[in-house]
Amino acid sequence: MSDATAESAPSYRYTAELAGQIEQRWQEHWDSTGTYHAPNPVGPLAGAVPEDKLFVQDMFPYPSGAGLHVGHPLGFIGTDVFARYHRMNGRNVLHTMGFDAFGLPAEQYAVQTGQHPRKTTEDNIQTYLRQIRRLGLGHDERRRIATMDPDYYRWTQWIFLRIFHSWYDEKAGKARPITELEAEFAQGKRATPDGRGWCELTHAEQQAVLNDYRLVYLSDAPVNWVPGLGTVVSNEEVTADGRSERGNFPVFRRNLRQWMMRITAYADRLIDDLDRLEWPDKVKAMQRNWIGRSHGARVSFPVADSAIEVFTTRPDTLFGATYMVLAPEHPLVDTIAAAEWPDDVDPRWTTGAETPGTAIAAYRRAASMKSDLDRQENKEKTGVFTGAYATNPVNGASIPVFVADYVLMGYGTGAIMAVPGQDQRDWDFATAFGLPIIRTVAPPEGFDGEAFTGDGAAVNSGFLDGLGVDEAKKTMIAWLEENGHGNGTIQYKLRDWLFSRQRYWGEPFPIVYDEDGTPVALPESMLPVELPDVDDYSPKTYDPEAADTEPSPPLSRATDWVEVELDLGQGRKTYRRDTNTMPNWAGSCWYQMRYVDPTDDQRFCEPENERYWLGPQSPGDTGGVDLYIGGVEHAVLHLLYARFWQKVLFDLGDVTAEEPYRRLYNQGMIQAYAYTDERGVYVEASEVVERDGKYFHGDRRVRQEYGKMGKSLRNVVTPDEMCAAYGADTFRMYEMSMGPMDVSRPWATKDVVGAQRFLQRLWRNLVDEETGETRVTDTDPDETTLRALHKAIAGVHEDYANLRYNTAGAKLIELNNHVTKNFPGGAPRVVAEAMVQMLAPLCPHIAEELWSKLGGPKSLAHGPFPKADERYLVEDSVEYPIQVNGKVRGRITVPAAASQDEVKAAALAEEKVAALVGDSTPKKVIVVPGRLVNIVL
RNA sequence: GCCCCCGUAGCCCAACAGGCAGAGGCAGCCCCCUUAAAAGGGGUCGAGUGCCGGUUCGAAUCCGGUCGGGGGCACCA
């Protein structure tokens, strides 16, 4: 048998080939028997549902052309193990995966090749499906969805209309149907903006009023226009240096008529409800930071006939406001600017210009030409005096008003009161311009910094003197409100969500415009509004720097589609369709609900099914997906938008869950080494060898880098290669044992063999490699083995439940090593069965195969899973290490039931310890039950 | 600049809630099987927890400082 070639491994050794056969066979079996179908309470997928359910979800992938590398499935396998563990323990588990199918790459490919994005995307989806099927993921494939399917985006459009037909009632603190607002106007319960009666307004005027309340509304406010992409993008899609996240093009602020989602109405709830979620602190912090709630006051500073409104978080420092600053774009700049400089003007304030007017114009021009990057990198304070003076309301002081670009139009009121004593930016400006600095909070003794931002007693502040910062703020706000100079207020960084894109490959808006240009919502019966075919998929793109260009979306050129004749209740009329598409985030804002009811054509999700899978599980619970795994890169965008939609639908009574994702878990990134040669060109990482700590590609010395896996770095390893070389179970086992799920770590192909060897050993303990027959025995395992077994069972339960797959795997290896060592003739049946059951969540195929070899009745997918017997978890006797002054000096073994005094006596009697203690009396003897004894001399 | 996370054998990682630093894997070393080979079998070696200080009978674990790595935000008033 052993004298032939390399093929001469025993016929039933668990090799990659055998693993592959087993895996394919079981995948087909699962498929054909619908093993992972999870029944719904009602509807097409209805079945008998256990009360105990679990909804596990992966952040669904955008199917890119490159397919998956080994980093992608980490989370997919993680959710699968979790799902399998709970399914085996009797829960009704919903786990599936769909595709975030709209997106720019397919559209760009279409622009280049003319291939319809749908075709590209469908092909890519097939690749993804092939790859994930090979991994043996237990998905309910009946629930697969793709956001580009009209059956799916019909409901995305439907939800858009629900939001469109709603407004936020601040008093009630929730969204309500817009018809109720309209009724309030019509009944005169609510005044129109200009005081006319509702009936006196034209239809278009009425609609314009309602537009200002709708949760999704048309706005002419400044948006981020990216000529290089030919589209606008949201604030969240603009990087810190003012460029587009996609394509890295310059972004320009332009006033364009666009759809906005009134996410700001939910700012408080989006922040406050974070406390109710089981999410990583890091993600919560990022969301809080993004929403940026700050408490403070609005204060009005009179200047000539008008007044400058400022927002400040430090009203307690008002007495130290020695000047004011307006953003260059602030509308009041022109109003208040003086015609001439005052006689004694500081030359630093004028930039040498003849008049304030010319100085301001020059400064504005210079500011507008500075890119955001320049403004950021160059923090030198610049500015120019307006020639005007404002009055500080607390003390009547006359303070100069400047224009400076360190104040941003986009935050607060675009104007500030400057308190150099308590704000470093103001300090810097004041120093550069020779402005007075008044401290209003006493810094601690020995403070040698500039602006002091800490807590302390108020000074130079009239009626605030002596108060701490918090108390002083309250007192000042009360004073401002009493005297009509301002009021306490809350400011947010969060802006409304720009919701239109000038692209082809996205959801069309279910909106048409009438002859007045008033938007009209299409009735539900006309959904979906399907994407028309076009000749040219590209929006008109421009020179990236051409700020003054206009968006021209591809749909606007589908003239037959744009112009429609419809009867929308006023007889047949011609309307124009909205030619924008929704942003890529729309489809992922609600997909968990469609997973629940993927084939329902009456509702986006049947209420009973929603309540069962996503509803609150206890009073105060937010509801939502039980476990949501994905990368931390979606911390703000997707997760904030999805929470917002969820809350609107909750307010409208469409869903019972207040939050989409009750528990969130971020998987770590699998990174990899990459190598560059002397020219800096990447070489194939798999061909690099290490010699004496140096790296070589052939004979050439190469340099090692560490980072993401990517085609351009030539360091991609695919799950396909790994499955071919080792089998899917080995690959799964390896990925899960590399470390905790949330830790990023380097990929190491050479380590995969460890997982392979484990499975081979386990297989060999149960199966004769020569004959394929089982070799389990019916002998009763000894006490030690039973203890090892039940300890493993208890530990593995806990590890699986807490996503600690690396330690669960280690415990299985440990147990298997015990079997190898103690049962060379084959594993005792009870141990073998439990081991296979415990292995199943991690390595489902080999577990199924072994289970059936052991005579298990059917698939292991729904259990059983072993339970630990308490009897074997408690020890009869315990070994105590004896420390003398904290160092281990000896050991004793005593019955587990021994009292502390008995343990103490035994410890002191121990030979080596007794020698050390000698005649002296120990100061203290500490007995930690079950752990150790420490004798302090 | 502000905020957050992480530093344990050559490498990836364990150590429940302060209690014997090691569960597991890779690599190394030794032995076995083999004409030979290894994705074969058995065994074995290996760090005092980045550094300094504190609390404690006892610190990888808690506290303060410091160094190194990673991430987020960034003229947000």
Side-chain angles (χ1 to χ4, degrees), chain A residues 585-698:
Chain A
W585 312 103
S588 58
C589 272
W590 69 283
Y591 67 124
Q592 65 281 358
M593 300 178 218
R594 198 58 182 169
Y595 280 156
V596 164
D597 224 339
T599 54
D600 191 339
D601 57 5
Q602 300 301 309
R603 298 233 350 135
F604 71 108
C605 179
E606 213 52 52
E608 267 188 70
N609 293 333
E610 190 273 339
R611 194 178 319 120
Y612 176 76
W613 288 111
L614 290 160
Q617 301 296 297
S618 58
D621 177 30
T622 58
V625 169
D626 296 298
L627 177 67
Y628 190 35
I629 296 191
V632 72
E633 66 272 18
H634 293 112
V636 174
L637 293 152
H638 158 58
L639 289 170
L640 199 61
Y641 297 152
R643 293 181 64 214
F644 164 52
W645 279 34
Q646 182 81 34
K647 288 185 181 303
V648 177
L649 293 173
F650 173 79
D651 285 353
L652 298 176
D654 292 321
V655 295
T656 64
E658 281 183 76
E659 287 280 341
Y661 313 114
R662 172 191 290 115
R663 181 177 181 198
L664 174 73
Y665 193 92
N666 294 124
Q667 91 263 20
M669 213 193 320
I670 291 186
Q671 292 171 292
Y673 293 103
Y675 301 89
T676 53
D677 64 15
E678 65 284 353
R679 298 165 300 170
V681 176
Y682 286 97
V683 301
E684 189 57 43
S686 57
E687 294 163 4
V688 171
V689 290
E690 185 183 346
R691 288 196 290 267
D692 308 323
K694 301 185 177 89
Y695 301 94
F696 295 90
H697 183 244

Side-chain angles (χ1 to χ4, degrees), chain A residues 250-268:
Chain A
V251 176
F252 299 92
R253 300 291 287 174
R254 282 285 306 282
N255 288 335
L256 295 167
R257 193 166 153 89
Q258 302 288 334
W259 288 106
M260 304 287 279
M261 288 255 173
R262 206 178 298 278
I263 191 171
T264 50
Y266 284 83
D268 279 322

Side-chain angles (χ1 to χ4, degrees), chain A residues 202 329 395 702 839 850:
Chain A
T202 65
E329 304 86 358
N395 55 11
V702 290
L839 180 67
L850 290 170

